[in-house]
Amino acid sequence: MNVIDPGFPLVIGRVDAHGRLVEAEARLNELNMRAGGAIGGPLAVPQVAMLARLALRLGIAISRNVIAADGDEDVELWVRAEPEDGGVRLEVSGWSQRPAWRPTASDSDRDTDFFRSAADWLWESDAALRITFLSIEAGMRYGFESSAMLGQPLTRLFALAEDENGALPILGAVAAQARFDGQKAVLRGTGRTVRLSATPRTDASGRFAGFTGAAEMIDMPLAEPQVDAPVPQAPFGGFPDSFSERLDKALRVPLGKIIANADSISAQTEGPLKADYAEYASDIASAGRHLLGLIDDLVDLQAIERPDFAVAREIVDLADVSRRAAGLLSVRAAQAEVRIDRPFNDESTLVQGEFRRALQVLVNLIGNAVRYSPRGAQVWIRLEREAGMGCVIVADQGKGIALEDQERIFEKFGRVDATEPGGSGLGLYLARRLARAMGGDITVDSAPGMGARFIFMLPLKDSSRITSEM
Amino acid sequence: MTEHTVDTVDGAPFGASRTLLARAAATDVRVQRALEIATADFFLPADARLDERMRSALGDLVRALVATIEAELREHGARLLATRGEARLAQALAQGESVLPRLRQSGLLRDSEMMAELLGRIGQELLAQSLPMHGSDSPDRPSLINRFVQHADRVVAASAMSVLIAESQRRDLSDAGLLARTDLPADLHHRLLWWVAAALRESLADYEALDALDRALCEAAQRSLAAYDEADRPEAAAMRLAMAVDAQPNELPALLIEALGDRRIGLFVALIAHALGLGYAAIREIVLARDPERMWVVLRALELERDSIAQLGYALCHADARRDLEAFVDQLEAIAAITPNEARAALAPLRLPADYRAALLVLERTGIHQ
């Protein structure tokens, strides 16, 4: 996030009626020179020159946030151009470096979207920290009177608490015009605690224009639910329950479109295309597929971590599931030049579990094995029975996993080598959680350089009575 | 592959086969319809089409409005039916599928007044989001609306507060995607309510006791109508505030500039509407119009000077990419040269009754002297 340093000195310049830069302080002069201009010549930074020209013609001071090229980098400027004595006086501040590209949605729009997905309710203030927007419904839900708080100082609604350093994060954020989070406060009159976060709004001259903020209730006891209101579920990772549903809708459909279109560009279905572009499109499609996989994982993660998560109890043939999983991965394996040695068609190991979930686990295990196998290698899938458990062993010839890493790979986001491409770091975590929810487990057996053997076990069909009607 | 034969009874196909044959027979009609739509779509002038932001916001708003009314009618209607011994019907009413697709398809929503209101409402929101913010010159000086809330005049303070409340409420969307209220002008709220009620009725037409259903839906609708007060709308609240402030010609320019700088479009529109003695919707239409000429005339009718017009014009053109900033700069001297009397005369038609103007427009568009 780009933080404007208000301490950065204002740089002054002057342009005459013909758009020539007649004087400029050092920083502006240097920028102009790097753009190929000089004092006495036309102002060579096009965005600033245009602003000066507009101000002159409109006859009023105008301010705008401008991105200008500075050598190989982009620099973000706050420019104020004011007509003066037949020319234009320029005041330029900001001067922060910024990445050459970012999405076109403004920061505050994006932050608002982000807040909305995680917060309990939203608020906004003006530059004097008086409330300009407050969710009326939140007031009713959490026991404060929103309507009486509008137009009032934020501190009328929130009793702000100091952090461990004795500071108020919100005040630091006002001074630095920066985003803050973790400002704890008590909702006055309710005794309830909230965590506030907000992002500053900045006007065209780079001045602070207020906060767009969110509040998250951090004390658990809620007002007694209304008679027919659904009882709120324990939220996952601070996200409301509807998060995964929205994630699904908001991302899966557009990503699906991105992938489908990128695929058809890459396949050149609409006509021939320069090879580079076709390749870019295929990169876009593959990045899209990666993101889609991540979304699937997150949606699964939320489902699994809910207290009421349950798996169906069915009789599943582990051999059949393994063959299907191997079949699903055969294209990827062929591309990677890896051979999958799958169980024979007449093999069968009946266990208890949920077919869909068992398939998901095996696709994950075999997919990993394929991903970490060198070209020309083989992945073996073997079936065994042991102590009331039916086991599928997925073995690869990859680089193996050091003993100290063998637990870490099952942790949430626990990746051994964070620089490796692909994967969300959730796959094995989810796989083990699923295996355990079905009464089984996943273990690993490996040494560096020796490949890895993952063992996925589920209780044998006959090991106990099952409730399923099958 | 097995061979499918058409099952017949006395030579006539039945069941799935009949449906298939019927669909096949109707294919011509659908193909023709698809062609018409594709043709119409292709020939729409590109610059007159809704942009994606507008299109998606409009979709969201229509969905939320229908869902809000539908939820109200279903809930209360079902309660009435349940107490009248129509348990099955009550349950069916409480749980049915959304009527939105049916309303869309029926063409009822293609109501020009409704669409004008919805587009105006969305356009206002989108304009506010794109306007350059204006920070305060002094960190202790509250924004315009918040200064009104603190105003010594209690009428001004109370009206400003009701603007803040109404605008906050409009942005509140419940978890179920429902609005606190539709916030439509009363006649449009009525219209939409009856459309939804009728669509609900149609969706349950297979049940018995339709009399009871009609009665329950109508009672639920009338209850909702009785509880609806269009004075709670942010637009109405803004007009009350503008009336309470009653800005004098010398105060108006600064107020307009500050309202726009604070992204309070509602207040901006209301201040102008009050000063000109016109309605909110008429001024909103002018403020949002792609062609800004009428806006400049309005500002001259309010006797704004060149510099104030330059500031407002710059902000309005900057916020809407469809407007040509360069063209505005070129016109600025010509705009400033219009006398307030000329400007007011040019706006005179806006004072004529809306229905009369609408009829005149239709005659003009379909006129023989083209």
Side-chain angles (χ1 to χ4, degrees), chain B residues 21 48 61 70 91 100 103 119 123 125 140-141 156 158 196 202 208 218 243 268 277 280 287 292 353 357 365 369:
Chain B
L21 286 175
L61 178 57
E70 188 175 342
Q91 197 183 359
L100 178 63
L103 283 182
L119 287 170
E125 254 165 57
D140 296 328
R141 185 177 149 93
V156 171
V196 173
E202 186 196 64
E208 285 166 11
C218 291
M243 203 180 303
F268 178 77
Y280 184 97
V287 171
R357 280 174 49 219
R365 273 181 34 200
H369 50 276

Side-chain angles (χ1 to χ4, degrees), chain A residues 9-14 23-31 39:
Chain A
L10 201 65
V11 176
I12 310 290
R14 269 188 53 80
E23 56 179 278
E25 290 180 359
R27 189 76 178 81
L28 180 60
N29 189 23
E30 286 160 20
L31 180 72
I39 296 284

Side-chain angles (χ1 to χ4, degrees), chain B residues 98-226:
Chain B
S98 162
V99 298
L100 178 63
R102 177 68 182 113
L103 283 182
R104 286 186 70 124
Q105 178 247 341
S106 69
L108 277 173
L109 292 170
R110 288 171 173 255
D111 175 291
S112 63
E113 282 167 55
M114 180 69 81
M115 289 311 284
E117 173 63 24
L118 301 186
L119 287 170
R121 185 156 146 184
I122 291 164
Q124 181 176 327
E125 254 165 57
L126 297 182
L127 174 63
Q129 286 170 21
S130 337
L131 270 175
M133 284 292 289
H134 195 76
S136 169
D137 295 320
S138 142
D140 296 328
R141 185 177 149 93
S143 53
L144 179 63
I145 188 106
N146 280 349
R147 293 205 305 280
F148 283 142
V149 171
Q150 312 301 321
H151 206 283
D153 180 343
R154 289 199 17 213
V155 181
V156 171
S159 336
M161 184 63 113
S162 71
V163 169
L164 282 177
I165 294 172
E167 292 193 349
S168 284
Q169 218 154 28
R170 175 167 288 181
R171 287 172 52 180
D172 259 342
L173 205 63
S174 76
D175 291 341
L178 303 182
L179 302 160
R181 54 169 183 262
T182 62
D183 268 353
L184 291 170
D187 53 334
L188 294 179
H189 177 81
H190 289 202
R191 228 174 274 179
L192 186 58
L193 189 79
W194 290 119
W195 292 344
V196 173
L200 284 171
R201 193 312 180 158
E202 186 196 64
S203 72
L204 297 173
D206 291 344
Y207 285 79
E208 285 166 11
L210 286 180
D211 288 355
L213 178 62
D214 282 336
R215 267 201 315 280
L217 281 174
C218 291
E219 277 174 48
Q222 265 144 1
R223 170 176 171 275
S224 168
L225 291 180

